Amino acid sequence: MHEKEKQLIEASIDLFAQEGFWNTPTARIAKHAGVATGTLFNYFESKDVLIDAVYQQLKQEWLGHLMLGYPQSGTLKARVEHIWFRHIDWGLRFPIRYGLLNQLKLSNLVSQEVQQSQDAGLAFAYDMIVQGIAEGLLVDVDPAYLGQIFYAALEAAVAYATEHNLTDMPLTRHITQGFEIFWKGVTL
């Protein structure tokens, strides 16, 4: 990725988070990035393509954070707990990026193709759920549904920690207790 392309994506993240997607003209993005307006279109043929690039960047950052130190050969509980802690950590460390990624996920602004390509990076989590169900460790429900329950619990944990400004021991207790509550609800 070229430096100017990175600058444009970072400027878009800043401005989209502050002003919204459609309230941010491409000229303002270019100016915020310190490049000429025409330069933006050398890298992104349209605002839609730029939004896809922002989504890809945020999703890759999130997934990279999630996978750092991932215990590939650990127990199912250790792997799920790792994802739990790392997701919450990313959401609290990078609240603007986290919020924007969630907005993009819920919007219809990201192309189907980009969503599918980014979701492919999470195939390991789906496979982990399928394996846990097959081994009788997780409740026997549709794996996609169990994945949605997991994600909803993660979102609730981040939202609560943010709303209550949790830090240090109260944050650690919140994350740990939240995981144990979740784990008891999905295991046999």
Side-chain angles (χ1 to χ4, degrees):
M1 184 181 300
H2 293 93
E3 191 58 36
K4 287 184 182 181
E5 190 174 3
K6 288 179 192 174
Q7 289 172 251
L8 288 161
I9 289 173
E10 287 303 317
S12 297
I13 290 168
D14 289 346
L15 294 173
F16 290 162
Q18 290 173 27
E19 301 173 14
F21 306 108
W22 300 120
N23 293 330
T24 306
T26 54
R28 190 171 0 219
I29 294 168
K31 183 177 181 180
H32 192 70
V35 301
T37 302
T39 303
L40 184 144
F41 294 106
N42 290 335
Y43 295 99
F44 308 101
E45 67 185 47
S46 68
K47 192 172 183 180
D48 291 337
V49 172
L50 176 59
I51 288 171
D52 279 350
V54 166
Y55 179 77
Q56 288 175 306
Q57 177 67 33
L58 293 172
K59 193 82 179 235
Q60 288 167 7
E61 288 175 16
W62 169 76
L63 190 56
H65 191 84
L66 216 61
M67 297 308 293
L68 189 65
Y70 181 72
Q72 189 69 40
S73 60
T75 64
L76 177 65
K77 184 176 183 180
R79 289 178 285 152
V80 173
E81 189 172 31
H82 176 87
I83 293 169
W84 183 272
F85 275 81
R86 296 298 292 171
H87 176 91
I88 295 168
D89 182 63
W90 194 76
L92 297 176
R93 281 184 194 229
F94 307 103
I96 292 171
R97 294 172 114 68
Y98 178 81
L100 186 58
L101 179 59
N102 283 334
Q103 285 178 22
L104 284 166
K105 277 192 251 181
L106 295 173
S107 75
N108 61 352
L109 301 175
V110 179
S111 71
Q112 205 58 358
E113 178 184 329
V114 167
Q115 283 181 25
Q116 289 171 350
S117 73
Q118 293 303 302
D119 288 347
L122 290 174
F124 79 95
Y126 182 83
D127 293 344
M128 183 174 58
I129 292 170
V130 169
Q131 179 187 4
I133 293 169
E135 292 175 0
L137 300 171
L138 299 175
V139 293
D140 189 7
V141 297
D142 183 316
Y145 178 53
L146 194 53
Q148 288 181 345
I149 291 170
F150 183 41
Y151 195 77
L154 284 169
E155 295 299 295
V158 173
Y160 185 89
T162 301
E163 290 166 13
H164 292 86
N165 297 314
L166 297 181
T167 60
D168 304 322
M169 285 307 294
L171 175 60
T172 302
R173 188 172 38 257
H174 164 70
I175 295 170
T176 303
Q177 287 175 338
F179 177 75
E180 289 304 322
I181 292 166
F182 166 75
W183 190 249
K184 286 176 185 175
V186 299
T187 54
L188 300 172

